[in-house]
Amino acid sequence: MSEAVPVAATAGSKLQALNAWVAEVAALTRPDRVHWCDGSDAENAELVRRMEADGTLIRLNEQTHPNSFLHRSDPDDVARVEHLTFVCTPERDDAGPNNHWMAPAEAHAKIDALFDGCMEGRTMYVIPYCMGPIDSPLSRCGVEITDSPYVVANMRIMTRMGAPALARIEKEGSFVKGLHSTGELDPNRRFIMHFPAELTIKSYGSGYGGNALLGKKCHALRIASYQARSEGWLAEHMLILGITNPQGETHHIAAAFPSACGKTNLAMLIPPEGYLKDGWKITTVGDDICWMRPGKDGRLYAINPEAGFFGVAPGTSKKSNPNALACLQRDAIFTNVGVTADNQPWWEGIGNGLTPVTDWRGEPYDADKRPAAHPNSRFTVSARSCPSYSPEAENPEGVPISAIVFGGRRASLVPLVFEARDWTHGVLVGAAMGSETTAAATGAVGVMRRDPMAMKPFCGYNFADYFSHWLSFDNGSNKLPKIFHVNWFRKGDDGTFLWPGFGDNLRVLEWMIGRVKGEAGAVETPIGNLPAAGDLNLDGVELGEEARAKLFGFERDGWKAEFDSIGEYLDTYGPRMPQALKDEQRRVVESLD
Ligand code: O2Y
Ligand code: MN
């Protein structure tokens, strides 16, 4: 690069740090051009034109899916790479056993060597973005530098990107720095590095999803969780939904589930027929990430830091998620799905009666060879396209949270729903949550993998400190939400699911809100408060004897073994594990005797 690197148009003292960093990155990566993204329609149209010309994007059927595109990633670059994801704190213990760790100096040296000259012949894009409504005090800004126009197009959907974000950065002065290059897409030259103390992310060698769209998992969870700890808030892997009853009263719920447990479906739930007739409504604030902090009244107020959905395509259908399907009719980017003869996007489980002709690798579809859509194929679409999108999602103050829900995929033992007795017990419930492995590919089936608060891949610091941070919210002045645990995946002896799920999950949410209001009944047990089958509205749901016993029952012996295992799990974090959580585990163990 011989010419001077362009600086932010509205140069002012608060942008000097940004201008200096952009110049420093350009000197290292040596792009042919530097482009500051303003987020305008014209800018996007020009980027799309170029990506269509070079095959990065393939235009889909304009009649059925106007302004929508297919992108095929490198076949070796199709998912987040946890084994190559590092949290680089000065002290190893600050990252904790829940993270891969590298010393910051070593990590910078390793990844900067990869960045050296990597943008020669390419354009370097500078993307100012805001996570959360642009005028919200709960929002935080970042700047991603990337050499991928596909990343620019996705960040434009997933964040508030461009001129308004730059103006906020100019006012505030601070921002998260994210440097990304697709590099050679060589899995052996790929790293996703986080430097929480420096509010910095460096990602090299992948162009896919969470590895490349740095606002999402890297910023909004790993860096934000670290920031949130020192600033007194929470950055969580949670959906946020609103539930409005026939009286017009709305409560908001935040819910954490491990990946692939149907968070997007729950966030966009359509009530069962009888509930719809009575006037119940679900509104979607977010499907993946929730930032929340105590308001002046002591309640937790939440925003969705994202502006779009990066949802998994396979299994998304009119039956599983009509709202998602409705979003996808226009202005969407599909990554690694199949296509039909008339150029419509297609994936397994879409259930639209069409058949694919080309698979996600661009080869003729052959069911014996590979699925049409990659199992981790995705759609990127603006949240505003969603029929259930809540106007409250744009509220700068956030929405007050009435209940927090933790959930996992448990074939045995864990009932449909229970309520934690208090905040400390709820934190233990979150710390102990997880799923039993189901896929033969992962080895042993039915093995319990704990995924505290669904944050195992995303917490930017030591889980023991994270649990302490959660416990600290119970300070006597906060008015904290009730905490619940759900399990939609309980199975009967014949291996089939006992609970219908999908829209019928609203029955469980209704019970939770009833508990919040002190109106719904429950039975006290050592693991928490369980509804008796009669405490839930089960009109129109056929449940046999086994289903009722397992969904609403408490199995003392199984829970004794479970709590021993929870104790062993907490011990793996050593002396940093808060005593209050260990005491809570002991309390439950004793009450089980
Ligand atoms: O593999 C990826 O890069 C995407 S993973 C993802 C995408 C959207 C929401 N959640 C997740 C997740 O893994 O939790
Ligand atoms: Mn997620």
Side-chain angles (χ1 to χ4, degrees):
M1 268 226 23
S2 50
E3 288 171 40
V5 176
V7 296
T10 47
S13 63
K14 289 241 175 119
L15 287 177
Q16 270 172 15
L18 172 56
N19 291 330
W21 175 60
V22 170
E24 190 189 303
V25 168
L28 174 66
T29 59
R30 299 192 292 281
D32 280 12
R33 288 164 299 279
V34 176
H35 176 85
W36 287 74
C37 298
D38 61 16
S40 64
D41 289 345
E43 176 183 82
N44 186 56
E46 175 58 17
L47 275 177
V48 166
R49 191 191 63 73
R50 286 193 213 156
M51 284 191 279
E52 271 194 88
D54 70 12
T56 302
L57 291 184
I58 299 162
R59 191 174 287 270
L60 291 165
N61 185 321
E62 268 301 312
Q63 268 69 51
T64 59
H65 293 76
N67 197 37
S68 296
F69 300 89
L70 166 67
H71 170 72
R72 295 194 181 109
S73 77
D74 185 279
D76 285 330
D77 183 30
V78 291
R80 290 188 291 104
V81 282
E82 284 174 31
H83 63 295
L84 301 173
T85 299
F86 290 80
V87 169
C88 308
T89 48
E91 299 297 326
R92 181 192 286 265
D93 269 359
D94 290 334
N98 45 304
N99 281 303
H100 297 294
W101 176 83
M102 205 182 288
E106 185 192 346
H108 279 302
K110 209 180 256 280
I111 201 161
D112 285 355
L114 299 175
F115 278 119
D116 193 357
C118 72
M119 295 189 193
E120 276 172 11
R122 299 182 183 183
T123 299
M124 181 176 112
Y125 300 94
V126 183
I127 314 171
Y129 65 87
C130 181
M131 299 309 293
I134 202 88
D135 53 349
S136 171
L138 282 80
S139 301
R140 292 287 184 278
C141 288
V143 177
E144 175 165 356
I145 295 180
T146 181
D147 54 9
S148 162
Y150 165 80
V151 165
V152 179
N154 278 270
M155 286 290 283
R156 184 168 184 268
I157 297 173
M158 294 302 295
T159 72
R160 280 89 170 168
M161 178 268 252
L166 186 63
R168 180 164 168 158
I169 291 169
E170 182 165 18
K171 242 192 286 154
E172 289 182 337
S174 75
F175 61 94
V176 169
K177 294 175 186 166
L179 172 55
H180 167 254
S181 171
T182 52
E184 311 84 351
L185 295 173
D186 175 354
N188 297 311
R189 286 164 58 85
R190 182 174 294 164
F191 288 109
I192 322 295
M193 309 271 204
H194 303 75
F195 305 87
E198 303 165 40
L199 300 185
T200 295
I201 305 154
K202 292 185 177 180
S203 166
Y204 187 90
S206 164
Y208 194 86
N211 302 332
L213 313 178
L214 301 186
K216 192 172 179 58
K217 304 296 188 182
C218 298
H219 178 164
L221 288 175
R222 298 194 189 96
I223 298 290
S225 60
Y226 181 95
Q227 255 184 319
R229 181 188 175 204
S230 61
E231 296 175 6
W233 49 284
L234 290 163
E236 298 301 325
H237 190 200
M238 291 178 178
L239 64 90
I240 310 167
L241 60 79
I243 168 167
T244 304
N245 67 16
Q247 292 73 48
E249 199 181 282
T250 300
H251 285 268
H252 287 93
I253 291 178
F257 294 87
S259 308
C261 278
K263 277 197 4 243
T264 304
N265 294 349
L266 182 62
M268 299 179 187
L269 179 150
I270 295 201
E273 203 48 53
Y275 278 77
L276 271 180
K277 249 193 247 135
D278 289 346
W280 289 84
K281 199 166 106 181
I282 293 289
T283 45
T284 309
V285 176
D287 77 330
D288 195 41
I289 301 181
C290 164
W291 287 358
M292 55 191 159
R293 77 169 183 213
K296 286 197 186 81
D297 60 1
R299 297 187 70 188
L300 293 186
Y301 284 79
I303 59 164
N304 169 15
E306 301 191 279
F309 306 120
F310 188 63
V312 73
T316 304
S317 69
K318 263 212 174 109
K319 177 172 183 290
S320 69
N321 194 336
N323 278 318
L325 219 61
C327 298
L328 300 179
Q329 292 317 298
R330 57 177 308 131
D331 305 324
I333 299 173
F334 296 88
T335 300
N336 291 344
V337 299
V339 282
T340 63
D342 67 345
N343 219 20
Q344 296 193 49
W346 194 94
W347 50 82
E348 279 68 19
I350 191 170
N352 59 2
L354 303 176
T355 46
V357 295
T358 308
D359 71 21
W360 65 275
R361 292 181 69 159
E363 292 176 15
Y365 172 61
D366 175 353
D368 294 333
K369 201 164 165 198
R370 66 174 71 95
H374 186 278
N376 194 37
S377 56
R378 298 274 162 177
F379 52 79
T380 321
V381 72
S382 168
R384 287 171 194 259
S385 314
C386 182
S388 62
Y389 189 53
S390 168
E392 283 300 298
E394 305 291 334
N395 186 339
E397 302 308 319
V399 295
I401 297 297
S402 300
I404 288 176
V405 180
F406 296 122
R409 197 177 259 276
R410 300 293 299 263
S412 59
L413 184 67
V414 182
L416 178 63
V417 58
F418 61 90
E419 174 199 324
R421 30 182 273 154
D422 57 21
W423 184 259
T424 303
H425 181 219
V427 174
L428 179 65
V429 169
M433 70 183 254
S435 292
E436 284 151 29
T437 52
T438 51
T442 60
V445 174
V447 172
M448 181 60 199
R449 294 260 156 79
R450 301 219 181 266
D451 184 358
M453 280 81 167
M455 284 287 278
K456 168 75 183 66
F458 306 121
C459 183
Y461 61 104
N462 189 319
F463 257 154
D465 299 334
Y466 171 76
F467 301 144
S468 296
H469 181 50
W470 264 82
L471 292 170
S472 74
F473 284 80
D474 192 8
N475 60 5
S477 54
N478 285 337
K479 294 192 184 71
L480 296 169
K482 275 187 178 290
I483 297 180
F484 298 87
H485 187 279
V486 298
N487 177 25
W488 314 133
F489 303 99
R490 185 73 192 260
K491 286 185 175 171
D493 292 337
D494 65 356
T496 59
F497 290 114
L498 296 175
W499 179 249
F502 299 110
D504 287 307
N505 293 338
L506 177 56
R507 300 170 191 278
V508 177
L509 305 184
E510 179 190 14
W511 177 76
M512 291 174 189
I513 299 306
R515 292 296 295 166
V516 168
K517 291 164 63 178
E519 292 169 0
V523 180
E524 269 186 50
T525 79
I527 61 158
N529 302 323
L530 271 72
D535 291 322
L536 233 67
N537 175 5
L538 294 174
D539 288 353
V541 182
E542 295 284 314
L543 292 180
E545 204 135 292
E546 185 199 9
R548 279 174 191 261
K550 289 188 166 149
L551 292 171
F552 302 105
F554 156 64
E555 297 164 23
R556 190 174 293 270
D557 288 346
W559 278 104
K560 273 189 192 170
E562 172 77 0
F563 265 84
D564 288 344
S565 142
I566 292 170
E568 282 163 20
Y569 177 68
L570 298 184
D571 285 344
T572 62
Y573 290 90
R576 282 167 95 126
M577 181 55 64
Q579 191 57 43
L581 213 56
K582 292 205 266 188
D583 290 347
E584 185 62 14
Q585 183 267 349
R586 277 248 60 83
R587 186 195 63 71
V588 180
V589 167
E590 280 160 20
S591 69
L592 280 162
D593 279 339

